Amino acid sequence: MPDAEDVRRIALSLPDTTEKIAWSMPTFRVAGKMFATLPEDETSIAVRCPKEERDELALAEPEKFWIADHEAQFAWVRVRLAALEDEGELRDILADSWRQAAPSRLLEAHPRLGLPPEG
């Protein structure tokens, strides 16, 4: 089961990512734009997710994804670390959130990062 240290290690391995404490918790930013947080007890993460997808995820897998009340108006979703299958799933979720926050110059430099493998 992935934990807070796995989140930190994977997030910081993504291009141009930094960690900054905000609201008394670790936040991870790409080129200064936040894409993940480790709230309160560090048993979950909050990541960027388009609202339509977020709602579908929370309905399809409520044991894994949920929407925090104070984030409902924003395109963010919470993810329970204990519900993740493995580190690969965590990496995919963080990379997808990174893509949503990264500037175009980084997306162009890393075109496959955070995208599903081509089959």
Side-chain angles (χ1 to χ4, degrees), residues 51-115:
K51 286 184 180 179
E52 317 76 52
E53 289 178 33
R54 174 192 76 176
D55 296 344
E56 288 176 22
L57 286 171
L59 285 171
E61 298 184 81
E63 71 289 346
K64 189 180 292 186
F65 300 101
W66 86 99
I67 301 161
D69 291 341
H70 67 280
E71 295 167 347
Q73 70 272 31
F74 304 107
W76 286 78
V77 69
R78 295 283 181 103
V79 185
R80 288 178 181 85
L81 294 175
L84 295 178
E85 293 171 26
D86 55 26
E87 200 175 285
E89 187 176 19
L90 173 61
R91 180 175 280 109
D92 289 347
I93 290 168
L94 286 170
D96 184 59
S97 186
W98 179 92
R99 282 189 65 75
Q100 292 174 59
S104 56
R105 68 177 171 80
L106 285 174
L107 294 176
E108 289 165 9
H110 306 278
R112 298 298 311 154
L113 187 65
L115 294 178

Side-chain angles (χ1 to χ4, degrees), residues 1-24:
M1 167 185 85
D3 63 16
E5 286 309 309
D6 295 321
V7 171
R8 180 170 281 113
R9 178 175 45 78
I10 293 168
L12 291 174
S13 75
L14 297 168
D16 205 11
T17 294
T18 57
E19 180 176 351
K20 178 181 178 182
I21 299 297
W23 307 288
S24 303

